Amino acid sequence: MVKAKAPRRTLDSYAVKHINKIIKAGDCVLMRPADQSKPQYVSRIERIEADARGGNVKVHVRWYYRPEESIGGRRQFHGSKELFLSDHYDVQSADTIEGKCTVHSFKSYTKLDAVGNDDFFCRFEYNSSTGAFNPDRVAVYCKCEMPYNPDDLMVQCEGCSDWFHPACIEMTAEEAKRLDHFFCESCSSEGQKKLQNSQAASRHSDTKVFLLHCCPSSFFR
């Protein structure tokens, strides 16, 4: 006769003794990788379960992927602390949790005064089987027309409000940091300055976008 599985119960929270932290559903955690040479995995806890005696604790998680783990790989505009919220769900032992972390929204991350080791950000959801992103497009900036990488220094034009990499406007990072005011090449003439108020709204509404799902394959290499 097949022995019935012991019933399991959902926990509101759980104290992970070896890291002295309390976890609950919705928390983001760092988990031990199978290959110790790789960085810790990052996941979001969906549910915590234990056996009837409160032991054998398992966490149902939704994995975050790093850009290099995606089908397209890491690209120029990906930040060093960027993650994608995937559609990959799993069940892991609570013993594999090595710490708690925070996955910020992109907007919140860019406003941090200081980025800690356990701070990450996410601006895309990722389909692990198709390689598709949601949203599948992102605004681009600068003459190079690349999405914003929060790791890169950029300066904002006071005319069109676009952002520029110092190197793309033939400027060093040190020179950019000393700027009090900046007008890009298109906005530097008096005629362009006079038009800036009337054209500001249309410029913002016509923001160029980068389509993530239709990049040429050569871009990934």
Side-chain angles (χ1 to χ4, degrees), residues 25 31 44 50 59 83 112 153 161 171 190 202 207 210 218:
M31 307 192 78
R44 187 176 73 189
V59 287
L83 303 172
L112 291 177
L153 173 67
S161 297
M171 186 182 297
E190 288 302 319
S202 62
T207 301
F210 184 89
S218 60

Side-chain angles (χ1 to χ4, degrees), residues 67-75 78 84 133 220:
E68 53 269 27
E69 296 168 332
S70 67
I71 292 175
R74 179 171 287 277
R75 311 184 204 175
H78 288 142
F84 309 142
F133 291 89
F220 298 136

Side-chain angles (χ1 to χ4, degrees), residues 11-77:
L11 305 179
D12 292 330
S13 62
Y14 175 68
V16 185
K17 294 180 181 178
H18 63 276
I19 62 170
N20 195 29
K21 297 286 185 182
I22 295 175
I23 61 169
K24 59 184 183 301
D27 285 345
C28 293
V29 294
L30 300 165
M31 307 192 78
R32 183 169 62 248
D35 184 347
Q36 293 299 302
S37 65
K38 293 185 176 180
Q40 294 166 307
Y41 297 137
V42 182
S43 70
R44 187 176 73 189
I45 297 174
E46 302 292 305
R47 191 165 77 254
I48 307 170
E49 287 185 346
D51 61 24
R53 296 181 179 179
N56 189 23
V57 178
K58 302 286 187 181
V59 287
H60 293 245
V61 299
R62 184 176 181 181
W63 294 111
Y64 283 96
Y65 280 26
R66 288 181 169 83
E68 53 269 27
E69 296 168 332
S70 67
I71 292 175
R74 179 171 287 277
R75 311 184 204 175
Q76 180 181 344
F77 63 88

